[in-house]
Amino acid sequence: MIFHDTALAGAFLVEPERLSDERGFFARTWCRRELAERGLVADLAQCSVSFNPTAGTLRGLHYQAAPHEEAKLVRCTMGEIWDVIVDLRRGSPTFLAWEGLQLTAENRTAVFIPEGVAHGFLTLADDTELLY
């Protein structure tokens, strides 16, 4: 997993590190050890699928208030989205900052969203699916 900083403290664009050969490629998309080494929440609270049949579908902004905060790893598995994250953590150096990221089935990137950061998305294609 290759972690790229975003404008929000503790949020990362996560690129799969591909191991390729003539058959295709293999890439790890979740690794407790790699997340923990960066001080990120490495426990899965849940896995969810969001399917959206129509381009232009808007969902969010979602987050969980204390004591129910959850970190998320959001990946677009079909179609494409414009994902927006907003830092709602009082005391964070990036409080109220936001960033938009394009996640697609083709680029296979994900966004790691720490606890207390809201996220929402706009579908950019019909039949778009997310896994998080």
Side-chain angles (χ1 to χ4, degrees):
M1 296 168 60
I2 302 166
F3 292 78
H4 302 280
D5 291 331
T6 69
L8 279 64
F12 296 91
L13 188 63
V14 182
E15 180 184 348
E17 189 170 0
R18 296 179 188 195
L19 302 172
S20 300
D21 63 20
E22 67 280 353
R23 301 168 294 176
F25 74 87
F26 172 86
R28 182 176 295 153
T29 60
W30 178 267
C31 179
R32 180 186 311 264
R33 178 187 48 78
E34 290 184 51
L35 290 162
E37 285 174 355
R38 288 169 178 74
L40 305 176
V41 173
D43 294 327
L44 280 174
Q46 63 176 293
C47 287
S48 302
V49 172
S50 174
F51 178 76
N52 307 274
T54 307
T57 300
L58 178 64
R59 294 193 185 251
L61 293 164
H62 300 103
Y63 78 104
Q64 293 78 34
H68 305 289
E69 306 97 334
E70 293 178 3
K72 297 175 181 66
L73 184 67
V74 177
R75 176 179 312 280
C76 183
T77 56
M78 186 166 56
E80 64 181 300
I81 65 165
W82 179 251
D83 197 282
V84 174
I85 54 177
V86 181
D87 191 346
L88 300 179
R89 301 169 294 176
R90 293 191 187 280
S92 168
T94 55
F95 179 59
L96 297 181
W98 67 276
E99 184 161 357
L101 304 158
Q102 189 170 4
L103 306 179
T104 72
E106 287 185 13
N107 71 22
R108 293 186 173 90
T109 57
V111 59
F112 179 86
I113 305 165
E115 297 170 330
V117 172
H119 112 100
F121 62 89
L122 177 69
T123 60
L124 302 176
D126 288 343
D127 298 326
T128 293
E129 182 178 270
L130 280 72
L131 175 65
Y132 61 98

